[in-house]
Structures are given as C-alpha cells and as structure tokens.
Amino acid sequence: YSHGYISTDVPFDGNILIDIRINHGNSGGPIFNNAGKLIGLADATISPKVEQGHISGEPIGVMVPMYSICEKVKEIINAR
C-alpha cells in the first residue's frame, strides 16, 4: 500500500525517492500522478536498515523522473 509520497529533498543519484514498494517484475512500470499524467518509471528499491539482526524501517522506492527519460531518449535519437 502506498500513500504516493514523493521526496521533495535532494534526488537520489538523479532519481527521486518515493514510498512505493517496487518488487521483482514491476520495475520499469509507470508512475502516474493524481491527474493520470505519467511522471516517471519505477526503478529499484532501497532496502531498509538492518540493526542487530532486525530490519528497521520500510523499503524506499526509487523513480526515474520523466525529464531524465526524455533527455536520454533525445540523446539516443541524436546519436544516430
């Protein structure tokens, strides 16, 4: 279950942290905003911390924002 929170802090290596759990098979899937606009693609999950053999915290999802994807597509097209 996700609340749809997006981190407004510093992006993680050019990507954006989100509260969506990304499992095997749904990475690369679309992320939409409330208006139905495609805002990015699910990329990976940052695992929670393990302290003294116990898992603490929830996994954090990483989203590649559409502006990054569009820039990369333009680079690929222009490289031809």
Side-chain angles (χ1 to χ4, degrees), residues 8-69:
T8 57
D9 296 331
V10 180
F12 179 76
D13 194 26
N15 297 323
I16 298 173
L17 302 178
I18 54 178
D19 78 332
I20 297 170
R21 188 178 301 238
I22 299 170
N23 299 311
H24 297 287
N26 68 352
S27 62
I31 306 290
F32 298 98
N33 65 11
N34 288 340
K37 182 179 176 184
L38 179 64
I39 60 171
L41 297 178
D43 183 31
T45 297
I46 299 172
S47 298
K49 293 190 291 183
V50 177
E51 298 174 348
Q52 298 178 359
H54 298 286
I55 296 175
S56 65
E58 291 291 320
I60 299 171
V62 179
M63 175 184 79
V64 180
M66 283 309 298
Y67 62 82
S68 294
I69 295 168

